[in-house]
Amino acid sequence: MKRRILGGTGISVSEYALGAMMFGALGNADHEDSVRIIHRALDAGINFVDTADIYSAGESEEIVGKALKGRRDDIVLATKAHFPMGDDPNHGGNSRRWITHEVENSLRRLGTDYIDLYQIHRPDPTTDVDETLSVLSDLVRAGKVRAVGSSTFPAEQIVEAQWVSERRGHVRFRSEQPPYSILARGVEAAVLPTARKYGMGVLSWGPLSAGWLTGRYTKASDIDLSGGRAAVEKHKFDPSLPDNARKLEAVGALAKLASDAGLSLPHMAIAFVRAHPAITSVIIGPRTMEHLEDLLAGSEVELSEDVLDRIDEIVPPGTDLNRADNYYVPPSLADKSLRRR
């Protein structure tokens, strides 16, 4: 497994990062099986593990903690905070109060006394970024966190955070974790160039676009809206919606391209993301050992210029076929009171 340096930190990380979102009630509820999958990934050369407090309400962190016993010093461990961890409005967000509290919970669940990369899972319009960066700086100085990053931040908020860090003398975000796939290329326009400008590492997630690029969907009838993720997020899967019809059409063209190139669609999809010069690590999120083995088999795939050019023709650079797949709606659009006098 090839390595790259994470955002100028000097920390060497594998090109694949193991995403742990599917370990726990949200995906694989069998702790022993999940631990076996994590161990297989580590044995294959992956040294970067990414989780979050919100994944299965902390259960994912607990599973990762079990898996890393005896191996912690060799692993770069990343987790995140922001989303609500209860009904109390103070049990979430990016405030000093919450982060100071929640980092201790993550450390306990993970069974460690330090986190290599602590990420802010989303922007928080109610909290000044100066406040967030201030508490993150304190955690770094206390030795509880080694480096900090952002996740799914728009380019303008990445710039603001960098500016505040410099002006206020805070530690700065060393990485960004955006959604990025052939079907969701919007981050190519500003987020990825901004990350490169500031020397940030990039851990991209969702390279298979929530299953769209697994080869599972070849026609509209393959999409079951009655269960699973498709039932929860119908606006991202319903083939009767124009944006999703465009995705289905693109998937058909991409599947043919992969076949003509002698590749599986998932291997081509992940190799595409890995080929972008801003990407440090691609997060893969297997639920089963079979999923992991298939993803590992494609870790050395390199795409030719001809294949990359053809992908650009099918889905133009900077294009999100369904804008909902960028997973972030600015408050100025989500809250109508901010758009009306």
Side-chain angles (χ1 to χ4, degrees), residues 56-118:
S56 296
E59 189 181 3
S60 171
E61 288 186 325
E62 292 173 357
I63 292 170
V64 169
K66 292 177 183 178
L68 297 190
K69 286 182 179 178
R71 307 182 70 157
R72 175 68 184 92
D73 289 346
D74 298 324
I75 303 305
V76 179
L77 179 58
T79 192
K80 300 180 283 292
H82 164 80
F83 285 108
M85 293 292 285
D87 295 331
D88 190 313
N90 284 324
H91 291 182
N94 301 346
S95 69
R96 170 176 286 273
R97 185 182 191 275
W98 174 243
I99 291 173
T100 301
H101 174 83
E102 185 59 3
V103 72
E104 298 296 339
N105 287 333
S106 287
L107 289 167
R108 173 180 49 79
R109 289 188 291 256
L110 290 164
T112 185
D113 57 4
Y114 70 98
I115 294 164
D116 293 291
L117 179 65
Y118 197 53

Side-chain angles (χ1 to χ4, degrees), residues 286-321:
R287 181 175 55 83
T288 67
M289 188 69 78
E290 181 182 11
H291 292 163
L292 174 63
E293 295 292 356
D294 179 63
L295 295 172
L296 290 174
S299 64
E300 300 298 322
V301 171
E302 302 285 345
L303 302 183
S304 68
E305 287 293 317
D306 289 343
V307 170
L308 290 169
D309 287 344
R310 179 66 184 122
I311 290 173
D312 285 351
E313 293 172 2
I314 296 170
V315 182
T319 301
D320 288 329
L321 293 185

Side-chain angles (χ1 to χ4, degrees), residues 12-28:
S12 174
V13 296
S14 49
E15 285 189 337
Y16 275 13
L18 180 66
M21 187 176 75
M22 299 308 295
F23 301 140
L26 185 64
N28 188 341

Side-chain angles (χ1 to χ4, degrees), residues 169-216:
H170 301 319
V171 298
R172 67 187 183 92
F173 287 144
R174 288 292 191 171
S175 65
E176 161 60 15
Q177 187 178 137
Y180 182 38
S181 73
I182 297 176
L183 302 182
R185 302 183 61 175
V187 294
E188 292 175 338
V191 169
L192 297 185
T194 299
R196 291 192 77 189
K197 177 179 178 63
Y198 288 101
M200 299 169 68
V202 177
L203 295 70
S204 62
W205 59 275
L208 300 181
S209 198
W212 280 89
L213 295 172
T214 61
R216 183 188 313 161

Side-chain angles (χ1 to χ4, degrees), residues 158-169:
I158 294 173
V159 172
E160 180 187 7
Q162 294 289 327
W163 183 89
V164 170
S165 291
E166 180 178 347
R167 188 69 177 268
R168 302 294 188 185

